[in-house]
Amino acid sequence: MADLDELDTAILRALQHDARRTNRDVAAAVGVSPTTALDRTRALRERGVIAGARLEVDLAKVGRPVQAMVAVRVRPPTRALIEGFREWAARLPEVLGVFVTSGSEDFLLHVAVPDNEHLYAFVIDRLTQRREIADVRTSIVYEHLRNDAVVPEPPRASRPR
């Protein structure tokens, strides 16, 4: 885990709120000089704490308003089948995210499609046609709330016991 101080955490919060903020704006928000903010932000990138910035797209406005979580069980659960399915699923245009899980399912796929007909076709025509698929369960997502601001874990010495 990266060792982050209060300034690093403040910079992360400022950038998570809006990754397009100028360095001058970040510096003002956290109360340091622009040079200090820039040096610290560069250091966070070099250490891999900041891994990039993402563009958030309104799925409904791009024609994919129906979201679902599709639980998939692969049999037999061999490394080759798990890895092969993972790579195949991650390339599908409907798939927003692939979660490799433990428990009764091997995968959770977060998908976004134009409508229920497309969801049905995705599950029946794409997923269940693969021989390694033993079971598929689909749950429609009514609402997706995201917490995009991740607060770093405090150092062990300052954690409550």
Side-chain angles (χ1 to χ4, degrees), residues 94-157:
E94 299 89 349
V95 175
L96 301 176
V98 175
F99 300 87
V100 181
T101 62
S102 65
S104 59
E105 285 87 22
D106 299 305
F107 296 93
L108 278 175
L109 305 179
H110 181 196
V111 301
V113 293
D115 52 39
N116 285 339
E117 289 178 33
H118 281 86
L119 180 59
Y120 183 78
F122 173 77
V123 171
I124 299 303
D125 298 335
R126 300 286 277 288
L127 292 181
T128 62
Q129 296 305 307
R130 293 187 60 99
R131 292 192 311 198
E132 71 269 27
I133 303 302
D135 187 42
V136 175
R137 288 185 304 111
T138 303
S139 298
I140 300 290
V141 174
Y142 292 129
E143 188 174 17
H144 180 194
L145 305 176
R146 247 189 307 232
N147 185 359
D148 293 324
V150 178
V151 179
E153 193 63 26
R156 285 198 179 271

Side-chain angles (χ1 to χ4, degrees), residues 5-12 14 22-41 44:
D5 64 17
E6 288 181 35
L7 180 55
D8 291 334
T9 301
I11 290 171
L12 285 176
T22 66
N23 181 62
R24 192 172 302 281
D25 186 34
V26 171
V30 301
V32 296
S33 73
T35 302
T36 300
L38 183 60
D39 289 345
R40 287 296 193 101
T41 302
L44 288 167

Side-chain angles (χ1 to χ4, degrees), residues 11-64:
I11 290 171
L12 285 176
R13 280 193 182 116
L15 290 172
Q16 286 180 104
H17 178 70
D18 181 359
R20 297 177 301 170
R21 292 176 98 161
T22 66
N23 181 62
R24 192 172 302 281
D25 186 34
V26 171
V30 301
V32 296
S33 73
T35 302
T36 300
L38 183 60
D39 289 345
R40 287 296 193 101
T41 302
R42 282 183 179 152
L44 288 167
R45 283 190 179 102
E46 289 168 3
R47 292 165 45 204
V49 175
I50 297 175
R54 290 178 176 71
L55 178 68
E56 187 174 333
V57 174
D58 185 320
L59 293 170
K61 290 181 179 169
V62 295
R64 293 170 61 180

